[in-house]
């Protein structure tokens, strides 16, 4: 039930591909059967661009059944065969890159340059990486560890994976869930966020065009309460992978553990940005603004808490505010736009609420408001810098998920590290220093799954992504992700051919 009049062909060139519905099961698009509809809204304008039937429990059951039926054939394919299929998949994605980028910007509001230069090429690279990694499912080398036996380790696929992806990077998060799972021989049912299903559906469609068998990748687009919980609790789903807030992650864990399935959680973050007094100040200021504002701050690794050693503090605040004020808000499809809207007006109002409450105990240096004029109908919010907040305040401790950076001073290196670790989260962090000793200490002592030195945000397919503490457990990307998506089996061969083994005396005695 797509309404094509609400988005131009230029903004939404792939519109016709969604005419059959927002579910993709066993290689075919379909309508949901919940009896309820949902609209994809362009957050830059507030206009509805695609309305679809939400998935219900029956759709989840059908998708899981399709994945279960496809599993034996896909799991028994050779690593080379799966690798070849993923290489073809990467090529199809590359051919459809512009459609993917425009659909991502339309549904998310992110600048087209971000979709073109980060989301889409990152996804294609991730696909190519797992095409190669599919051939390298390695275990421990064979050996005679007991003396009388030869042991080796097999890595085997788990079965049907049920994954849930968030709305901030819907294309990349779909890829992070799907690719390691299928490279390892599993099949998958993915539930994207209701707000942003478009690129997940295009991703699955591209997989089918590349020759990946029907049922290996399935998409169900429904609410978390109905479709999501049914997927996570489904008895035929062997593993759940979830990316989202820590609060929802706790509920996912409750449902998943009731059926004793494998669980992978990538949850919230509140990344510290620690600037020591020997840092390159200009580099740190540029890094802070870029790291805080990427994807309008809707990034669980975004720089959110800048701790600046006191000799640099005032200059850092002044220069960061000045640079933030040069960032251009605008239409995501306009070439000059640096920052788009938040995902929705509800999210914009949530961010504004954090900032408005902070006015009573901190100083809003710049930003702190929604723009008017031509942007008034969108979910825009100005880049915001806050200073003079206490470490235990809400603005410092809670995940805001918007274009807001809070800056606090520190005196000693010990204090800077202590403050960096002083939240429940531990997903990512950065440290800025010209000293290799300070930098090395930061990488050791900051409790986070990723610590950058003199940079903040870059990720690469070859390296793992995942958190400490309330940021969850397990890894996306890299060969480490295979630890999430494979069973490890020990195989042991007797080498003696003896009828009675020496250890049998513990049962039979001296006979």
């Amino acid at each position: 039930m797509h309404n094509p009049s609400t988005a131009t062909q230029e903004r939404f060139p792939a519109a016709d591909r969604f005419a059959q519905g927002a579910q993709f099961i066993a290689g075919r698009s379909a309508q949901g059967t919940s009896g309820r509809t949902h609209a994809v809204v362009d957050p830059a304008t507030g206009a509805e661009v695609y309305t679809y039937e939400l998935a219900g429990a029956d759709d989840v059951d059908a998708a899981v059944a399709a994945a279960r039926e496809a599993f034996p054939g896909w799991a028994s394919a050779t690593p080379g065969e799966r690798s070849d299929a993923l290489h073809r998949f990467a090529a199809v994605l590359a051919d459809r890159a512009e459609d993917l980028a425009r659909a991502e910007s339309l549904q998310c509001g992110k600048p087209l340059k971000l979709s073109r230069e980060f989301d889409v090429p990152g996804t294609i690279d991730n696909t190519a990486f797992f095409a190669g990694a599919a051939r390298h499912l390695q275990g421990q080398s064979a050996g005679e560890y007991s003396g009388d036996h030869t042991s080796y380790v097999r890595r085997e696929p788990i079965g049907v994976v049920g994954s849930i992806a968030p709305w901030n990077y819907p294309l990349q998060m779909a890829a992070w869930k799907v690719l390691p799972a299928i490279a390892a021989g599993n099949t998958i049912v993915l539930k994207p966020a209701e707000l942003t299903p478009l690129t997940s559906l295009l991703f699955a469609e591209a997989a089918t065009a590349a020759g990946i068998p029907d049922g290996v990748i399935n998409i169900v687009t429904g609410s978390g309460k109905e479709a999501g919980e049914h997927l996570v609790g489904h008895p035929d789903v062997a593993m759940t992978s979830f990316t989202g807030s820590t609060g929802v992650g706790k509920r996912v864990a409750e449902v998943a553990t009731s059926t004793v399935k494998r669980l992978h959680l990538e949850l919230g973050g509140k990344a510290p940005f620690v600037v020591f007094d020997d840092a390159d100040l200009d580099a740190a200021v540029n890094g802070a603004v870029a790291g805080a504002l990427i994807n309008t701050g809707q990034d669980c690794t975004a720089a959110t808490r800048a701790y600046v050693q006191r000799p640099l503090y005032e200059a850092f605040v002044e220069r960061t505010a000045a640079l933030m004020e040069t960032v251009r808000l605008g239409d995501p499809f306009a070439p000059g736009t640096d920052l788009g809207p938040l995902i929705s007006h509800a999210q914009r109002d949530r961010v504004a609420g954090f900032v408005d409450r902070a006015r009573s105990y901190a100083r809003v240096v710049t930003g702190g408001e929604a723009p008017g004029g031509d942007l008034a109908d969108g979910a825009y919010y100005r880049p915001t810098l806050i200073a003079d907040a206490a470490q235990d305040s809400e603005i410092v401790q809670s995940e805001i998920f918007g274009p807001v950076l809070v800056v606090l001073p520190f005196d000693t290196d010990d204090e800077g590290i202590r403050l960096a670790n002083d939240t429940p989260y531990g997903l990512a962090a950065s440290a800025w220093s010209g000293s290799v000793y300070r930098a090395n200490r930061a990488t050791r002592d900051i409790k986070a799954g990723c610590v950058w030195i003199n940079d903040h945000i870059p990720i690469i397919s070859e390296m793992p992504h995942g958190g400490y503490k309330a940021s969850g457990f397990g890894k996306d990307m890299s060969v480490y992700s295979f630890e999430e998506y494979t069973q490890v089996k020990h195989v042991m061969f007797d080498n003696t051919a003896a009828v009675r083994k020496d250890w049998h005396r513990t049962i039979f005695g001296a006979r």
Side-chain angles (χ1 to χ4, degrees):
M1 54 175 62
H2 170 236
N3 179 359
S5 66
T6 56
T8 65
Q9 179 66 21
E10 181 183 8
R11 292 174 81 89
F12 194 13
D16 292 345
R17 296 187 190 172
F18 299 97
Q20 300 305 313
Q23 319 306 322
F24 191 86
I25 300 171
R28 291 175 292 280
S29 298
Q31 298 286 352
T33 62
S34 70
R36 293 180 295 109
T37 61
H38 194 276
V40 175
V41 174
D42 178 355
T45 64
E48 296 183 4
V49 296
Y50 178 64
T51 303
Y52 63 93
E53 297 278 354
L54 286 163
D58 289 346
D59 303 302
V60 173
D61 290 342
V64 172
R68 187 179 181 187
E69 182 177 353
F71 175 70
W74 184 247
S76 63
T78 66
E81 288 168 340
R82 291 198 294 268
S83 176
D84 288 347
L86 286 166
H87 277 301
R88 295 194 303 270
F89 189 11
V92 174
L93 291 171
D95 287 343
R96 300 180 179 186
E98 185 66 9
D99 283 356
L100 288 163
R102 288 182 175 275
E104 192 79 337
S105 287
L106 182 70
Q107 67 182 352
C108 298
K110 61 182 68 185
L112 189 56
K113 67 179 179 181
L114 180 62
S115 295
R116 280 176 173 165
E117 298 175 22
F118 183 75
D119 298 70
V120 173
T123 299
I124 295 168
D125 181 74
N126 216 231
T127 308
F129 170 80
F130 279 106
R135 292 179 178 264
H136 298 284
L137 282 171
Q138 297 175 345
Q140 192 170 5
S141 298
E144 288 66 51
Y145 297 96
S146 78
D148 292 335
H149 305 82
T150 296
S151 289
Y152 66 88
V153 170
R154 290 177 57 90
R155 282 195 178 272
E156 298 178 347
I158 296 171
V160 177
V161 178
S163 292
I164 299 176
W167 47 256
N168 57 332
Y169 290 103
L171 176 61
Q172 286 201 319
M173 296 297 102
W176 287 13
K177 301 301 181 195
V178 169
L179 295 170
I182 68 171
N186 302 284
T187 56
I188 190 167
V189 179
L190 174 75
K191 192 197 89 65
E194 307 96 295
L195 295 171
T196 55
L198 301 180
T199 46
S200 296
L201 292 163
L202 291 175
F203 186 72
E205 186 183 84
T208 296
I212 291 177
D214 293 349
V216 172
I217 302 172
N218 306 275
I219 309 293
V220 289
T221 309
S223 71
K225 190 66 177 175
E226 184 175 1
E229 290 206 9
H230 191 63
L231 177 62
V232 172
H234 201 290
D236 290 335
V237 169
M239 175 187 165
T240 289
S241 178
F242 169 79
T243 296
S245 71
T246 298
V248 177
K250 291 177 181 178
R251 175 58 184 162
V252 169
E254 289 175 2
V255 176
T257 53
S258 68
T259 53
V260 198
K261 50 173 54 76
R262 179 80 64 88
L263 183 62
H264 167 219
L265 299 175
E266 198 265 272
L267 306 177
K270 189 73 176 175
F273 186 100
V274 183
V275 182
F276 294 100
D277 59 12
D278 63 345
D280 181 322
L281 182 58
D282 288 337
V285 167
N286 280 272
V289 173
L293 300 185
I294 186 170
N295 204 33
T296 317
Q298 298 166 125
D299 186 312
C300 50
T301 64
T304 59
R305 299 177 289 138
Y307 296 102
V308 183
Q309 207 151 22
R310 205 168 294 275
L312 297 183
Y313 178 74
E314 293 297 338
F316 180 91
V317 170
E318 180 182 348
R319 294 189 195 183
T320 299
L323 186 56
M324 276 189 171
E325 289 166 3
T326 69
V327 173
R328 300 165 296 183
L329 278 68
D331 177 359
F333 288 80
T337 294
D338 298 321
L339 204 68
L342 291 149
I343 189 65
S344 66
H345 288 81
Q347 180 65 13
R348 190 270 312 276
D349 294 345
R350 179 180 181 275
V351 171
F354 276 102
V355 175
D356 290 344
R357 290 189 295 275
R359 296 179 196 277
S360 66
Y361 58 79
R363 174 168 57 103
V364 178
V365 182
T366 190
E369 62 182 4
D374 293 342
L375 303 181
D377 290 337
Y380 290 90
Y381 198 76
R382 294 196 186 282
T384 300
L385 184 67
I386 294 176
D388 305 333
Q391 174 65 16
D392 61 356
S393 62
E394 178 190 52
I395 203 79
V396 175
Q397 293 291 322
S398 298
E399 187 174 33
I400 299 169
F401 232 53
V404 179
L405 176 65
V406 58
V407 188
L408 298 87
F410 69 92
D411 291 303
T412 67
D413 289 14
D414 287 348
E415 182 187 15
I417 298 293
R418 177 181 62 79
L419 293 171
N421 287 328
D422 184 29
T423 71
Y425 301 105
L427 186 59
S430 65
W432 299 72
S433 173
S435 165
V436 66
Y437 302 106
R438 272 177 158 169
N440 270 326
R441 184 196 173 183
T443 64
R444 291 192 307 270
D445 291 352
I446 294 177
K447 306 304 179 187
C450 174
V451 180
W452 293 283
I453 299 298
N454 295 327
D455 207 345
H456 195 108
I457 285 297
I459 53 174
I460 49 175
S461 297
E462 292 83 357
M463 289 292 113
H465 176 85
Y468 286 26
K469 304 189 294 186
S471 292
F473 48 81
K475 300 298 179 184
D476 289 312
M477 298 199 299
S478 81
V479 294
Y480 290 97
S481 64
F482 285 135
E483 295 175 5
E484 314 300 322
Y485 293 98
T486 54
Q487 301 273 21
V488 174
K489 178 186 286 183
H490 171 214
V491 178
M492 196 175 205
F493 281 89
D494 169 57
N495 292 331
T496 67
V499 174
R500 285 196 175 179
K501 317 300 189 209
D502 185 55
W503 70 268
H504 289 180
R505 70 184 185 278
T506 62
I507 303 300
F508 303 134
R511 300 183 188 177

